[in-house]
Amino acid sequence: MEKSRVLVVGGTGYIGRRIVNASLAAGHPTFILQRLEIGLDIDKLQMLLSFKKQGAHLVEGSFSDHKSLVEAVKLVDVVISAISGVHFRSHQILLQLNLVEAMKEAGNVQRFLPSEFGIDPARMAHALEPGRVTFDDKMVVRKAIEEAGILHTYVSANCFAGYFVGGLCEPGRITPARDKVCMFGDGAIKAVFVDEEDIGTYIIKAIDDPRTLNKTLYIRPLENILSQRELVEIWESLLEKVLQKSQLSEQDFLNSMKDVNIVQQIGLGHYYQVFYEGCLTNFEIGGQGVEASQLYPEVNYTRVRDYLKQYL
């Protein structure tokens, strides 16, 4: 069976580069949008050139040039957008509306995966301000996709291991503490932690799968559904040391958000939804969703314990 042709938008980004690698590894003809706005960002250019050496095709285009987007999407069967949606980098989610318009005109795209990959925005109508803007914008894009009749798959990949496992879920940390750690309440709320390389692998497996068509793909590997306390205990067992633990109550967490800038408020709001409300695990996946590790049991996903070993 011929492999689908894949266009990755945001292919040099944090998740985008993993998607490109997974697409190339799976043998898909892989195209990457080389945005004209790259300017003098030599790191991004060199990454694009390295992908080109591996067999990827670079396609020039811009969100401000409708014709270039149409020409780009005409080349492929599947479009995956991985443009930034986090405010501490850049929040570009609504730019995807231009991509939707291009796909409507081109008329050939068989599957679109918009940039989501974290918390399922369809479940976040109650989210705190100002952090809810992330979910609201993603829902605007979903509405445009569905009104245009574009076939799609939404991906909820939960907590990226690099940011959450690495820092034992502590905001502002990306390496695990060795002496003391602050717990969200009693640290018992379950979250889901996924290695970024595995996210790319699951996404590429899903793009041609009829079971994921017009559904949400939840990446919830069973052994990585853990509480913060369980995560810390795994680290303690590897470190062979018990960390000093403090607890931050829900109210104290909310109070702490008042003293930081809006970008930090947005990020902390998401931490609140995950670690105090349990928004990643407080629901059952219904008929409009499927779970990645069940669909693709052949993927030997990275367990949290193994991920933490690199920090020893």
Side-chain angles (χ1 to χ4, degrees), residues 79-99:
V79 176
I80 305 174
S81 173
I83 65 174
S84 178
V86 291
H87 286 74
F88 73 87
R89 291 178 183 271
S90 59
H91 185 71
Q92 301 181 328
I93 293 300
L94 292 182
L95 283 179
Q96 294 176 110
L97 296 175
N98 299 12
L99 199 53

Side-chain angles (χ1 to χ4, degrees), residues 131-146:
R132 64 170 298 130
V133 65
T134 302
F135 312 118
D136 290 344
D137 284 357
K138 288 176 179 179
M139 290 306 293
V140 168
V141 175
R142 283 194 183 191
K143 184 173 185 288
I145 292 168
E146 292 165 19

Side-chain angles (χ1 to χ4, degrees), residues 100-101 104 140-150 152 154:
V100 170
E101 289 301 312
K104 280 170 61 177
V140 168
V141 175
R142 283 194 183 191
K143 184 173 185 288
I145 292 168
E146 292 165 19
E147 287 182 348
I150 296 171
H152 56 272
Y154 304 134

Side-chain angles (χ1 to χ4, degrees), residues 82-283:
I83 65 174
S84 178
V86 291
H87 286 74
F88 73 87
R89 291 178 183 271
S90 59
H91 185 71
Q92 301 181 328
I93 293 300
L94 292 182
L95 283 179
Q96 294 176 110
L97 296 175
N98 299 12
L99 199 53
V100 170
E101 289 301 312
M103 286 185 282
K104 280 170 61 177
E105 181 172 329
N108 63 291
V109 173
Q110 298 171 20
R111 188 87 64 106
F112 178 43
L113 285 70
S115 184
E116 294 195 356
F117 311 129
I119 301 169
D120 180 1
R123 298 183 179 275
M124 300 308 295
H126 67 288
L128 295 177
E129 296 282 6
R132 64 170 298 130
V133 65
T134 302
F135 312 118
D136 290 344
D137 284 357
K138 288 176 179 179
M139 290 306 293
V140 168
V141 175
R142 283 194 183 191
K143 184 173 185 288
I145 292 168
E146 292 165 19
E147 287 182 348
I150 296 171
L151 302 176
H152 56 272
T153 298
Y154 304 134
V155 179
S156 175
N158 299 295
C159 294
F160 297 168
Y163 284 101
F164 289 89
V165 175
L168 301 179
C169 304
E170 290 192 279
R173 287 196 68 110
I174 55 173
T175 56
R178 292 176 175 266
D179 296 303
K180 56 186 178 181
V181 61
C182 182
M183 310 295 291
F184 298 111
D186 62 4
I189 297 292
K190 297 279 188 177
V192 187
F193 306 97
V194 189
D195 178 277
E196 292 85 345
E197 306 298 332
D198 293 338
I199 293 171
T201 298
Y202 283 124
I203 286 171
I204 293 302
K205 281 189 168 290
I207 60 176
D208 290 328
D209 190 339
R211 297 173 296 177
T212 64
L213 184 62
N214 292 340
K215 292 184 181 292
T216 298
L217 178 74
Y218 295 93
I219 305 179
R220 275 190 187 184
L222 185 61
E223 292 184 45
N224 286 4
I225 302 174
L226 301 166
S227 67
Q228 184 192 17
R229 183 166 293 278
E230 289 171 325
L231 177 63
V232 170
E233 288 171 353
I234 292 170
W235 175 238
E236 288 174 328
S237 71
L238 291 170
L239 203 58
E240 298 182 341
K241 177 182 179 179
V242 176
L243 303 185
Q244 179 185 337
K245 300 173 188 69
S246 58
Q247 292 190 7
L248 186 62
S249 72
E250 181 175 349
Q251 191 57 54
D252 285 343
F253 184 91
L254 291 171
N255 289 339
S256 72
M257 290 173 59
K258 299 173 184 176
D259 300 323
V260 298
N261 63 46
I262 191 167
V263 171
Q264 292 172 303
Q265 286 181 40
I266 289 169
L268 289 173
H270 298 170
Y271 272 82
Y272 175 80
Q273 318 289 175
V274 172
F275 295 107
Y276 288 99
E277 289 194 346
C279 69
L280 300 182
T281 57
N282 63 1
F283 64 93

Side-chain angles (χ1 to χ4, degrees), residues 20 24 29-32 48 50-58:
V20 171
L24 289 169
T30 303
F31 299 74
I32 308 170
L48 288 169
S50 73
F51 287 141
K52 185 179 178 182
K53 287 181 182 178
Q54 296 172 58
H57 308 276
L58 305 184

